[in-house]
Amino acid sequence: MKLFDVYPLFDIEPVKAQGSYIWDKEGNKYLDLYGGHAVISIGHTHPHYVKRISDQLNNIGFYSNSVQNQLQKDLAQKLGEVSGLPDYDLFLCNSGAEAVENALKVASFKTGNKKVISFKKGFHGRTSAAVAITDNPKIVAPINANHESVILELNDLAAVEAELKKGDVCAVIIEGIQGIGGIVVPNSSFLEGLGDICEKYNAILILDEIQSGYGRSGKFFAFQYSNVKPDIITMAKGMGNGFPIGGVLISEKFEPWFGMLGTTFGGNYLACASALAVLEVIEEEKLVENSFEVGKYLITRAKKELKDCEISGNGLMIGLKFAYPIGDLRKQLLFEDKIFTGVSGTNIIRILPPLNLTKKEADLFMDKLVSRCI
């Protein structure tokens, strides 16, 4: 048997990681400015994280959601405190796509409608309903195309209201910052306007914070740069620092009932231990504040020193849009300078490092990048 070949792979095999660094099987050391698709939030193999999971595994690793699990309640309590959103309820699942699916289901139950509004260049996952609202026809199979959805221009409030007036929309979903779309930050006034018109037309506003959440933007959630109050928030990626976990924050306007949502593995002991460790480290080491400060420092340097480059983003979620294709530049950074970065399209480098990135590490990256862009 061989693997189903769906991933283009770099000829690099990581075998060890610590903090913001990765080592491959040849012993080469890399600065990680991509965090495995924004997953690594508190740094690779953080000692508190490792101990939390190891200690939990020595007690109990798994049982079903048919019994009490105090860790789930502890996680909900801690998440409410650290995020500043104590008045939401938490549903735990396994991934970002699953979080989106459950968020859409809750919205549809509430409104009785099934059409979803999303936005161009958005990405919400690869499962059935999530892929139908993702702006990438290439990954939408015929079976996914049967969902009722409309994809509109970002920041066009009039277009959204025109759709909402039809009375058949269950939800509007938007990323706090578009990640795969190129680190595009929606206007605060647009987010706040969405909140107003969703309430006016009885639609549910879902903030997809799967990539932009958990301190990535320099706030706990990226939407917190505005005054919008979403009905539902989806989370994953940095939530478990590499351990698979997702979550849905559901506002108090929704009433749960037994069987409404469900999952086998969601909220298991190890997932909760990992997620609690992440929140504890974020709080103890002030990583949201560090994301803001180091991100601001990196963005300031980039704006001053990079020519033919547009810089976007907040915190440590940064897009560097060059006036030319960056494929060769990214390979040089990876194979010659030993620095991992991400990409969006053909000319955008995405920076999504661990949130404990230091200014010294940011300088190491910028020095190499600037020297290659002269």
Side-chain angles (χ1 to χ4, degrees), residues 184-196:
V184 180
V185 183
N187 294 337
S188 293
S189 59
F190 180 65
L191 289 179
E192 292 162 9
L194 286 180
D196 292 339

Side-chain angles (χ1 to χ4, degrees), residues 185-327:
V185 183
N187 294 337
S188 293
S189 59
F190 180 65
L191 289 179
E192 292 162 9
L194 286 180
D196 292 339
I197 61 175
C198 281
E199 183 175 358
K200 179 179 178 180
Y201 295 102
N202 192 37
I204 302 304
L205 178 59
I206 303 172
L207 254 294
D208 181 337
E209 294 276 359
I210 289 162
Q211 188 171 132
S212 54
Y214 263 68
R216 172 65 52 194
S217 71
K219 300 280 189 181
F220 194 88
F221 291 118
F223 77 79
Q224 290 170 324
Y225 281 96
S226 73
N227 292 317
V228 70
K229 184 175 174 57
D231 299 307
I232 301 175
I233 304 158
T234 58
M235 314 168 294
K237 292 197 183 292
M239 188 175 182
N241 201 53
F243 197 99
I245 183 172
V248 188
L249 292 182
I250 303 169
S251 73
E252 54 196 1
K253 72 165 55 176
F254 300 90
E255 186 69 30
W257 42 268
F258 291 156
M260 182 184 192
L261 305 175
T263 171
T264 296
F265 298 106
N268 68 73
Y269 295 95
L270 296 178
C272 287
S274 69
L276 278 163
V278 166
L279 290 172
E280 288 158 358
V281 172
I282 283 177
E283 187 175 43
E284 176 68 24
E285 299 185 5
K286 301 187 183 305
L287 294 189
V288 178
E289 294 86 343
N290 188 72
S291 175
F292 180 85
E293 290 298 330
V294 177
K296 182 180 179 181
Y297 175 77
L298 204 161
I299 288 170
T300 299
R301 272 204 66 178
K303 286 181 176 179
K304 287 181 179 179
E305 300 176 43
L306 292 177
K307 299 178 180 178
D308 298 320
C309 181
E310 296 178 21
I311 294 88
S312 61
N314 286 315
L316 289 173
M317 188 171 183
I318 300 169
L320 305 175
K321 183 177 181 181
F322 290 87
Y324 49 85
I326 49 81

Side-chain angles (χ1 to χ4, degrees), residues 58-78:
N58 284 323
N59 290 324
I60 181 172
F62 179 80
Y63 204 73
S64 77
N65 281 311
S66 61
V67 297
Q68 297 287 327
N69 182 344
Q70 183 60 41
L71 287 177
Q72 294 181 352
K73 298 175 183 178
D74 293 344
L75 176 55
Q77 177 69 26
K78 192 68 174 178

